[in-house]
Amino acid sequence: MTQNHQSTAGISARRGRRLAPLAAAAAVIAVAATGCTTGGGTGPGAAAVGQISTDTIRTVLSADPTSFAPVEVRNADDYAANRLLFSTLVRRDENNKIVSDLASKWDITPTQGTFTIRGGATCSDGTPITAGVVAESLKVFAAPDSKSSFRPLVLGDGPATVTADDAAGTVTVKPAQPWTDLLQGMSLHATGIVCPAGLKDPKALTTGDVAGAFSGPYTLSKKQHGVAYTFALRDDYKTWPAYETKIEGTPAKTIEASVNANASAISNELLTGTKDIANIRGKDTTRFDGNKDFSTQVIPQGSLYMMFNERPGHPFTDPALRRALAQALNVTAFNQAASGGLGEIYSSFAHPGVPCSNKDTGLLIKSDPAAAQKALAGVKIRMVGAQIFGPNGAANTYVAEALRAAGADIELRNVDLATWSTDLTQKLDTWDVTVMGGINAGGTMYGALSTVIGTPVEKGGLNWGGLENQPVLDLVSKAMTQTDDAERCGTYQEAQEIMIGEAHVIPLASLPSQVTIRSGFAMHTMNGQPDESTMRITK
């Protein structure tokens, strides 16, 4: 179960005109923060406490979706709703295998992709989904002023063209530069196909109030902000994704998703039978150990790593200090602070399931507190941490104490998620180092690199750290022309050797969460990410 995000040589100079600074938050767990979940609630169609419904699944969202428009998705709850409401051209099956969704077949080269649209697909208002319908939706995503921070992950930088041939039933997408991530990018939530009714009313699309906008299996039938959302199965929907992974059970006629970020309360609801499927984090996951009434699967909600502010005037422009910080840390102790030891120790800033992710632990800088003290003694460091990383920001507190033990003059501000993301992307002179949590929703190496290379956020890019790192950008550009998997992974290995060896990033561990499913229900995770469209009733 996995996911990921992106930047390139020619890309770097031009991206400055693009995304608003906080758009970069789509690439990090920070904005997805309180959890990748699915949602539930009680209501007219729900089963009585402890009983199994024959037509309703009750699940949980950690927060209100920020938008129901695919191009505006930016966190886990947006993703959950999006998977129910919108279809994409392709989907990622297990092991990142690309399978059919709205596209029945495709012809991909580094410079373009041509997709043949499946027959029989319709919008929620009955409009046939033709090549023209798909192209008009993708044009919104691909536009230079696109609201999607995922656009450069899917298409690279520069103008991309989207054309339709309704007679042939094909849509052709041409990025401005070679981009081998195009096919996988077309599986991302942000590329969900919006039907004509939704494109005609973008504001109402954002709020979920266009009944005919949806191309996926469900419609949004009811919403109560901060309380619950109800999704209704379309009677006419037949074009489910062609997963090779067997999807057992029956789709629910109704999915009731309550809004709740409290893991203890959600666990109580699961155990008392008022919720069927939910994602939980922290110590509450252990409450289901050995309980045969539930199936559980631990997934990596994010990849935790140290990220530095490498803009001029900040201490960690010095590679010796970056290396010393790595030497000051004990990754096992960090993992204990971040997740009670439940996370997986990482050898890259990209999740292990991401194609080409580094597996060579020899690249990692070994813990050496004595060496760290020689370099860090007296160095003034400002650290800003997000409270979601460990109980009350315990992961950040551990890092600060390790640096203090090494003699550094450390100032730690443990703040809420909104303050953290604002400070790191807008108040650039107020921080030197942070624990970053990459959600990497696209499942690509470029996605994992995107917050630490390329155009900085203050110039409209996705790079929070500020150093463009041209040698790595050049390697990304090379990788985007390589169709041979082994060659491409060799190129990305070189990029990781630079990023890890020069301590631009310090890999730490996963931030785990647990998909918890009551007996009688099912949901698949694909490459580490829950796929809400696979929620099923199995009894």
Side-chain angles (χ1 to χ4, degrees):
M1 306 179 291
T2 31
Q3 314 269 261
N4 291 19
H5 272 58
Q6 93 253 187
S7 203
T8 68
I11 295 179
S12 106
R14 299 186 301 269
R15 190 174 291 161
R17 298 182 295 276
R18 290 184 31 78
L19 311 170
L22 281 181
V28 297
I29 190 115
V31 230
T34 38
C36 283
T37 59
T38 27
T42 54
V49 174
Q51 296 179 354
I52 294 176
S53 170
T54 58
D55 64 4
T56 300
I57 292 176
R58 300 161 299 176
T59 183
V60 183
L61 296 168
S62 61
D64 287 311
T66 59
S67 175
F68 292 97
V71 296
E72 295 174 349
V73 296
R74 54 177 68 104
N75 66 38
D77 300 299
D78 295 351
Y79 302 158
N82 179 285
R83 275 297 181 236
L84 298 173
L85 299 173
F86 297 97
S87 296
T88 48
L89 285 177
V90 296
R91 298 290 274 273
R92 285 191 301 149
D93 206 332
E94 290 291 357
N95 300 314
N96 287 292
K97 182 178 175 64
I98 301 296
V99 297
S100 172
D101 193 349
L102 283 176
S104 60
K105 59 182 180 179
W106 43 89
D107 181 16
I108 303 292
T109 71
T111 56
Q112 73 172 45
T114 299
F115 301 85
T116 301
I117 307 306
R118 291 171 69 174
T122 61
C123 299
S124 49
D125 61 2
T127 301
I129 298 179
T130 62
V133 166
V134 169
E136 290 306 307
S137 179
L138 290 179
K139 285 177 182 178
V140 174
F141 172 79
D145 60 350
S146 172
K147 294 180 179 180
S148 179
S149 59
F150 289 85
R151 182 196 183 280
L153 296 179
V154 179
L155 300 170
D157 197 47
T161 62
V162 181
T163 56
D165 183 337
D166 273 324
T170 60
V171 173
T172 298
V173 181
K174 294 183 179 181
Q177 65 287 301
W179 204 254
T180 54
D181 282 353
L182 174 64
L183 180 60
Q184 185 154 325
M186 285 298 168
S187 71
L188 289 182
H189 306 76
T191 67
I193 301 306
V194 178
C195 290
L199 296 181
K200 289 178 182 177
D201 195 344
K203 289 185 178 180
L205 174 66
T206 293
T207 58
D209 292 319
V210 184
F214 310 119
S215 58
Y218 288 84
T219 61
L220 182 61
S221 60
K222 184 179 179 181
K223 60 178 181 174
Q224 190 175 1
H225 293 294
V227 180
Y229 294 82
T230 302
F231 302 87
L233 182 66
R234 291 172 49 192
D235 292 335
D236 62 339
Y237 187 80
K238 308 297 180 187
T239 49
W240 293 91
Y243 286 126
E244 293 181 5
T245 300
K246 188 174 183 181
I247 311 296
E248 297 181 349
T250 303
K253 291 184 179 179
T254 303
I255 294 174
E256 296 178 347
S258 63
V259 178
N260 191 346
N262 187 301
S264 294
I266 296 168
S267 298
N268 290 339
E269 291 181 312
L270 286 163
L271 290 165
T272 57
T274 57
K275 291 292 181 288
D276 306 312
I277 301 175
N279 204 350
I280 53 178
R281 283 209 323 259
K283 64 182 180 180
D284 285 283
T285 61
T286 62
R287 297 171 64 182
F288 299 88
D289 291 351
N291 190 330
K292 296 181 180 179
D293 292 330
F294 292 87
S295 62
T296 62
Q297 190 166 17
V298 176
I299 62 172
Q301 190 179 344
S303 301
L304 298 178
Y305 56 91
M306 299 305 301
M307 185 181 77
F308 302 98
N309 188 341
E310 295 191 55
R311 296 170 178 87
H314 292 264
F316 293 110
T317 56
D318 183 346
L321 292 184
R322 297 197 302 270
R323 183 177 183 84
L325 189 147
Q327 292 171 325
L329 302 181
N330 179 298
V331 179
T332 300
F334 173 90
N335 189 37
Q336 184 65 36
S339 65
L342 298 175
E344 177 184 356
I345 303 299
Y346 278 1
S347 55
S348 179
F349 46 91
H351 176 270
V354 173
C356 309
S357 179
N358 173 59
K359 305 298 189 296
D360 180 7
T361 58
L363 286 184
L364 303 177
I365 298 170
K366 293 180 173 59
S367 180
D368 188 344
Q373 189 167 15
K374 291 179 181 179
L376 291 173
V379 176
K380 186 174 182 178
I381 301 171
R382 295 166 299 173
M383 180 175 176
V384 180
Q387 292 170 342
I388 63 165
F389 299 141
N392 299 312
N396 310 313
T397 301
Y398 164 75
V399 172
E401 290 304 315
L403 295 178
R404 189 168 288 116
D409 179 6
I410 180 77
E411 172 195 322
L412 169 64
R413 289 191 295 118
N414 250 332
V415 297
D416 64 83
L417 196 59
T419 300
W420 176 81
S421 61
T422 298
D423 284 3
L424 265 64
T425 58
Q426 296 185 22
K427 299 180 180 179
L428 305 177
D429 289 328
T430 65
W431 68 280
D432 301 312
V433 67
T434 192
V435 174
M436 175 58 76
I439 196 171
N440 200 351
T444 63
M445 274 304 305
Y446 180 55
L449 285 162
S450 64
T451 56
V452 286
I453 65 170
T455 303
V457 290
E458 63 269 29
K459 296 180 181 179
L462 299 177
N463 178 1
W464 292 36
L467 178 69
E468 296 198 16
N469 206 324
Q470 196 62 45
V472 178
L473 289 170
D474 291 341
L475 288 168
V476 171
S477 290
K478 179 180 177 182
M480 288 301 179
T481 68
Q482 294 173 312
T483 57
D484 181 84
D485 291 343
E487 289 182 0
R488 186 166 59 255
C489 283
T491 300
Y492 276 130
Q493 186 65 21
E494 291 181 52
Q496 290 171 95
E497 289 171 1
I498 294 173
M499 297 302 295
I500 298 169
E502 296 181 1
H504 297 293
V505 293
I506 301 169
L508 295 169
S510 66
L511 183 66
S513 63
Q514 178 176 283
V515 178
T516 309
I517 302 173
R518 189 176 169 217
S519 179
F521 300 88
M523 180 176 69
H524 284 272
T525 60
M526 303 294 185
N527 309 293
Q529 184 178 21
D531 184 341
E532 288 74 15
S533 72
T534 66
M535 287 193 289
R536 298 289 188 269
I537 298 170
T538 58
K539 293 186 180 178

